[in-house]
Amino acid sequence: MTATAALTGGFANAPVDAAHAFRAIMTVMARPGEIRSVTQATPPAPLSVAAGTLILTLCDPETGLHLAGACDTPAVREWVAFHTGAPIVAPADAVFAVGSWADLSPVSQFPIGTPEYPDRSASLIVECNALTASGAVLEGPGIRDTAHLSLPETAAFAANHALYPLGLDFFFTAGDQVAALPRSTAVREG
Amino acid sequence: MSLMDDYNFAYLDEQTKRMIRRAILKGLAVPGYQVPFASREMPMPYGWGTGGVQVSAATLTPDDTLKVIDQGADDTTNAVSIRKFFERTAGVATTEETTEASIIQTRHRIPEVDLTEDQVLVYQVPIPEPLRFLEPRETETRKMHSLEEYGLMHVKLYEDISRHGNISTAFAYPVMVNDRYVMDPSPIPKFDNPKMEMAAIQLFGAGREQRIYAVPPWTKVVSLDFEDYPFEASKADHSCELCGSDSSYLDEVILDDAGNRMFVCSDTDYCRSRREAGHQGRLAGETV
Amino acid sequence: MYVAVKGGERAIDNAHAWLAEERRGDLSVAEMSIAQIREQLSLAVNRVMAEGSLYDPDLAALAIKQSRGDLIEAIFLIRAYRTTLPRFGATVPVETGEMRCDRRISATFKEAPGGQVLGPTFDYTHRLLDFKLAAEGEPATAPQSEGRTDPTPHITGFLQGEDLIQTEPRDETEPRDITRQPMSYPADRATRAQALARGDEGFVLSLAYSTQRGYAKNHAFVGELRIGLVDVEMEIPELGFSIDIGEVQLTECETVNQFAGSKTEPPQFTRGYGLVFGQTERKAISMALVDRALRWEELGEDFKGAPAQDEEFVLSHCDNIQATGFLEHIKLPHYVDFQSELELVRKMRREAADNAAAQEAAQ
Ligand SMILES: [Zn+2]
């Protein structure tokens, strides 16, 4: 990626693009399992459009971002630095992290909050090949009865839920699609 | 400086909105837990909805239709003032019709009609800490929440019963959210508490106290009570004298110097739409 | 038929129009200019800058004019405006030892390098109304002399030389910014200082006074009070050095307080510190006393339950914009809440009457 490539792919109209993207992001966090589309950013490979949009919507100099495995390229670093100013940090200091499930694992390396401040925990953006409303069974706040979501596995998410109210919160991204799984959601094999 | 056009969309700068948005997401992930946020000084006083305004500003898109109510009514002065603020700074459409709104900012009421999946209800919260009147110290209440130590709250409610024969809390009646956090539902009448298990997303903003919290759709919300003193969502034992509704929350209006009263819906849009549909109360059409 | 009160919007517009008319007052009296307020009500301007946390005398003067002289309202206007300003960065800490002092006094030493400079103080004025000011008179002039060119050393520096006063550890960590991060407790001293510096002058004054009257008594000497201009510098990363971006007037107070000490440590004086924008010496002295009272834990003293020692109490109530907003919000309609209580009280009274009737019948 050339120096000018880092300057492209951001929000065309930041206040409005960020507002639309956030509404979709908020909706999926409030309704675990629901899949929405976010198309506002065009990040460098290997980041998906959805992951790039999440980063531009939520990250800034106040939030450490961890780039896991294959996501940690000079092009991604430059793009993140130019558009958000977010410092690139190690997992233990991350407020956000992005990468494939394999590259993010084991997720125990990320902060899960403290009993007095459970919000001081990381949110992970898990890049997936596809997202479908099938597979693992989800139950909890935001879900009327049950929902389904194609999770990369169930054991890790069930273990995360067992830490409640501590724990990690997850976004799953594929292309321009995004879904979420907060720590409050109980997960079992579908 | 006075030209609102010079300000960013929905007034707040992007970095402030991001900070608020992050807090909203954590709030949704841990329902009922109060997330600290660096509340900004807004051009309206603390205590007048700055928390709700900041949450709305971070949530609004230009495609939204906003409704603002105070005490259930759209044209109470502070509701008018907040609605005007967003018309000027965000250019969003506004409405008084509950069913037309995509975001509803409220002070002290939940609308009578069931809200839908596509709606967001933003509450203005004065004191977000349900334990504050029992323990003024943040350092202590934070510990109590972390340990799920809510005995003090039950003792208080029980003392009410032994003194008055009733739980003497009529509004801001505490609830247990998702079996984990005791939460202040903001000063809504306890009549509204059962509505909180709803399809819409509920967001709570307390500006002066710098806290945001949330209740996702269909989250379990239980008003605290005792087996022998079950929670009761009470209201005035009347029906609306304009639209005849016997299930809506009522305001009591003093009509004359002799102190004669009438009861009318607190939710003005609900009352209006019922009358438009032909429902009539005892005093509908009469000159009072 | 009954019509619910409508027209909130028109009522608001009318109220604003009336307010604007009242603000201007009698049209036969000349309108005040911002410059007049800035120059002739400068202590009000200073208070608004200090508690508004924005150093701009013209904006403070405008706020005072707009608020009809209600200083808390003026501070509120400045705070709300401040929120909208972009943040370019933080300055290098100002060096108050380099202050060009207009006023510099010490209550602990009769004479010291730099001298006792009274400056433009009310201290020894007799508080007699000066009716000459009611008429337009000749402009006042004060005798001039050469200013001191050398920096004025801090009085506590002389005590420190002999190790008689505790050395404050140098801390290079960047302090938290209370306008960008939510307050959490316990707060460190830098955080407390920020909250006190923008805290309400009356509140901080009364807390300080309470320590003098025995609520966490810790006798304070004004080691030094200085008012003057300091340079403000900012580091420019692209240049690799810092440049002067202007100057601000500050009031700094260091108190010398009762000594601490133990069997292992020889006694030493301790200090309280106040630093405030503008000529605001009542506030700076108050701040120093409260700062000292809040340091009880760090200095190994007992918590005596005094309000001025109670960090959470002091910091969560010192901000007059938070306080006035919440206090005044009870003017807003609360009839839904009130109605719910009304119903409950009626119900409980009904039950009490029924019980009494049942008892009477049983007898
Ligand atoms: Zn009605």
Side-chain angles (χ1 to χ4, degrees), chain B residues 239-246 248-250 263-268 270-272 274-275 281:
Chain B
S239 52
C240 173
E241 285 165 294
L242 296 180
C243 77
S245 170
D246 53 12
S248 68
Y249 191 76
L250 300 172
F263 289 88
V264 295
C265 293
S266 126
D267 183 336
T268 48
Y270 174 77
C271 196
R272 181 192 52 74
R274 274 181 56 85
R275 278 176 281 142

Side-chain angles (χ1 to χ4, degrees), chain C residues 107-108 165 208-223 254-260 268-272 285 288-290 292-293 299 301 304:
Chain C
T108 50
I165 194 163
Y209 175 49
S210 74
T211 68
Q212 293 184 291
R213 288 195 65 259
Y215 288 83
K217 186 166 179 64
N218 192 309
H219 186 272
F221 296 100
V222 172
E254 277 195 290
T255 57
V256 178
N257 293 69
Q258 279 167 348
F259 47 85
Q268 255 185 333
F269 290 104
T270 58
R271 64 182 120 190
I285 300 168
L289 264 61
V290 176
R292 178 61 186 79
L299 297 174
E301 296 167 352
K304 297 176 186 132

Side-chain angles (χ1 to χ4, degrees), chain C residues 238-315:
Chain C
E238 289 81 1
L239 298 178
F241 54 86
S242 64
I243 57 164
D244 245 28
I245 57 167
E247 56 182 16
V248 294
Q249 187 189 36
L250 295 175
T251 302
E252 182 187 53
C253 177
E254 277 195 290
T255 57
V256 178
N257 293 69
Q258 279 167 348
F259 47 85
S262 63
K263 280 191 179 130
T264 51
E265 274 181 89
Q268 255 185 333
F269 290 104
T270 58
R271 64 182 120 190
Y273 187 74
L275 184 70
V276 189
F277 275 156
Q279 183 178 345
T280 45
E281 66 184 62
R282 182 187 299 122
K283 171 72 174 285
I285 300 168
S286 301
M287 178 176 165
L289 264 61
V290 176
D291 169 60
R292 178 61 186 79
L294 288 171
R295 298 181 70 192
W296 62 271
E297 195 166 16
E298 167 200 346
L299 297 174
E301 296 167 352
D302 292 333
F303 179 70
K304 297 176 186 132
Q309 286 180 303
D310 187 333
E311 171 182 283
E312 194 174 332
F313 177 82
V314 172
L315 300 191

Side-chain angles (χ1 to χ4, degrees), chain C residues 111-322:
Chain C
E111 194 51 73
Q116 303 267 13
V117 180
L118 290 185
T121 176
F122 290 124
D123 282 355
Y124 306 102
T125 61
H126 293 144
R127 269 59 168 206
L128 303 170
L129 273 178
D130 181 357
F131 292 100
K132 286 200 298 292
L133 286 176
E136 286 167 46
E138 289 290 300
T141 52
Q144 302 278 321
S145 69
E146 282 295 308
R148 184 184 161 89
T149 46
D150 290 341
T152 306
H154 276 120
I155 298 289
T156 49
F158 299 108
L159 292 170
Q160 216 165 307
E162 276 186 78
D163 236 9
L164 288 169
I165 194 163
Q166 274 192 337
T167 305
E168 300 300 337
R170 222 184 147 77
D171 184 353
E172 298 293 345
T173 54
E174 196 173 320
R176 82 150 70 201
D177 178 343
I178 62 167
T179 68
R180 309 291 286 191
Q181 284 173 280
M183 183 65 86
S184 62
Y185 303 104
D188 59 21
R189 196 175 175 207
T191 305
R192 295 196 304 243
Q194 279 178 66
L196 290 173
R198 71 197 315 242
D200 182 73
E201 177 175 312
F203 181 82
V204 181
L205 166 66
S206 291
L207 278 175
Y209 175 49
S210 74
T211 68
Q212 293 184 291
R213 288 195 65 259
Y215 288 83
K217 186 166 179 64
N218 192 309
H219 186 272
F221 296 100
V222 172
E224 179 172 349
L225 176 76
R226 57 169 64 192
I227 302 174
L229 294 170
V230 296
D231 294 327
V232 179
E233 289 178 27
M234 222 170 139
E235 268 175 30
I236 310 296
E238 289 81 1
L239 298 178
F241 54 86
S242 64
I243 57 164
D244 245 28
I245 57 167
E247 56 182 16
V248 294
Q249 187 189 36
L250 295 175
T251 302
E252 182 187 53
C253 177
E254 277 195 290
T255 57
V256 178
N257 293 69
Q258 279 167 348
F259 47 85
S262 63
K263 280 191 179 130
T264 51
E265 274 181 89
Q268 255 185 333
F269 290 104
T270 58
R271 64 182 120 190
Y273 187 74
L275 184 70
V276 189
F277 275 156
Q279 183 178 345
T280 45
E281 66 184 62
R282 182 187 299 122
K283 171 72 174 285
I285 300 168
S286 301
M287 178 176 165
L289 264 61
V290 176
D291 169 60
R292 178 61 186 79
L294 288 171
R295 298 181 70 192
W296 62 271
E297 195 166 16
E298 167 200 346
L299 297 174
E301 296 167 352
D302 292 333
F303 179 70
K304 297 176 186 132
Q309 286 180 303
D310 187 333
E311 171 182 283
E312 194 174 332
F313 177 82
V314 172
L315 300 191
S316 50
H317 300 110
C318 67
D319 190 288
N320 53 24
I321 302 309
Q322 291 176 359

Side-chain angles (χ1 to χ4, degrees), chain B residues 28-285:
Chain B
L28 286 165
V30 190
Y33 164 73
Q34 303 163 52
V35 185
F37 83 111
S39 175
R40 298 295 194 249
E41 285 169 304
M42 300 297 287
M44 67 253 316
Y46 284 124
W48 299 54
T50 56
V53 165
Q54 289 178 81
V55 168
S56 292
T59 308
L60 276 172
T61 74
D63 300 345
D64 273 308
T65 302
L66 177 72
K67 172 182 165 83
V68 184
I69 50 172
D70 187 340
Q71 314 296 299
D74 297 88
D75 88 327
T76 32
T77 42
N78 203 42
V80 170
S81 165
I82 290 171
R83 189 164 57 240
K84 226 174 175 175
F85 176 76
F86 281 117
E87 282 170 358
R88 281 157 71 177
T89 60
V92 292
T94 56
T95 182
E96 297 196 1
E97 287 178 48
T98 303
T99 51
E100 294 298 305
S102 52
I103 295 187
I104 302 171
Q105 180 169 330
T106 181
R107 178 169 171 262
H108 295 190
R109 274 310 312 275
I110 297 176
E112 300 294 352
V113 299
D114 287 342
L115 300 186
T116 65
E117 279 204 356
D118 301 322
Q119 293 180 307
V120 179
L121 183 59
V122 177
Y123 295 76
Q124 299 172 206
V125 182
I127 302 274
E129 179 48 70
L131 306 168
R132 185 62 72 234
F133 298 103
L134 309 172
E135 169 52 64
R137 276 170 207 284
E138 167 70 15
T139 37
E140 292 300 317
T141 54
R142 189 159 283 279
K143 227 175 280 163
M144 290 157 75
H145 283 295
S146 75
L147 299 171
E148 214 174 339
E149 178 50 67
Y150 296 126
L152 201 58
M153 180 63 93
H154 285 99
V155 168
K156 190 263 169 197
L157 296 176
Y158 212 85
E159 277 174 1
D160 274 10
I161 293 170
S162 50
R163 184 172 309 156
H164 306 293
N166 278 284
I167 290 173
S168 65
T169 302
F171 61 91
Y173 191 103
V175 293
M176 172 64 84
V177 178
N178 191 29
D179 296 322
R180 179 55 183 81
Y181 284 100
V182 168
M183 185 188 94
D184 179 277
S186 89
I188 56 173
K190 65 180 182 174
F191 172 81
D192 282 341
N193 276 22
K195 298 181 196 164
M196 297 186 82
E197 289 185 357
M198 64 164 74
I201 297 171
Q202 297 170 83
L203 304 176
F204 299 78
R208 189 180 39 79
E209 298 281 340
Q210 307 192 310
R211 296 291 182 272
I212 283 171
Y213 51 105
V215 175
W218 309 120
T219 301
K220 188 174 169 194
V221 179
V222 179
S223 301
L224 300 184
D225 65 356
F226 301 95
E227 252 172 43
D228 41 345
Y229 285 92
F231 172 80
E232 201 188 337
S234 57
K235 67 182 237 345
D237 194 13
H238 295 267
S239 52
C240 173
E241 285 165 294
L242 296 180
C243 77
S245 170
D246 53 12
S247 61
S248 68
Y249 191 76
L250 300 172
D251 286 340
E252 182 171 334
V253 181
I254 302 176
L255 292 171
D256 54 29
D257 293 355
N260 285 310
R261 323 265 160 126
M262 73 181 288
F263 289 88
V264 295
C265 293
S266 126
D267 183 336
T268 48
D269 176 61
Y270 174 77
C271 196
R272 181 192 52 74
S273 57
R274 274 181 56 85
R275 278 176 281 142
E276 281 172 10
H279 296 282
Q280 291 202 335
R282 192 175 62 90
L283 297 177

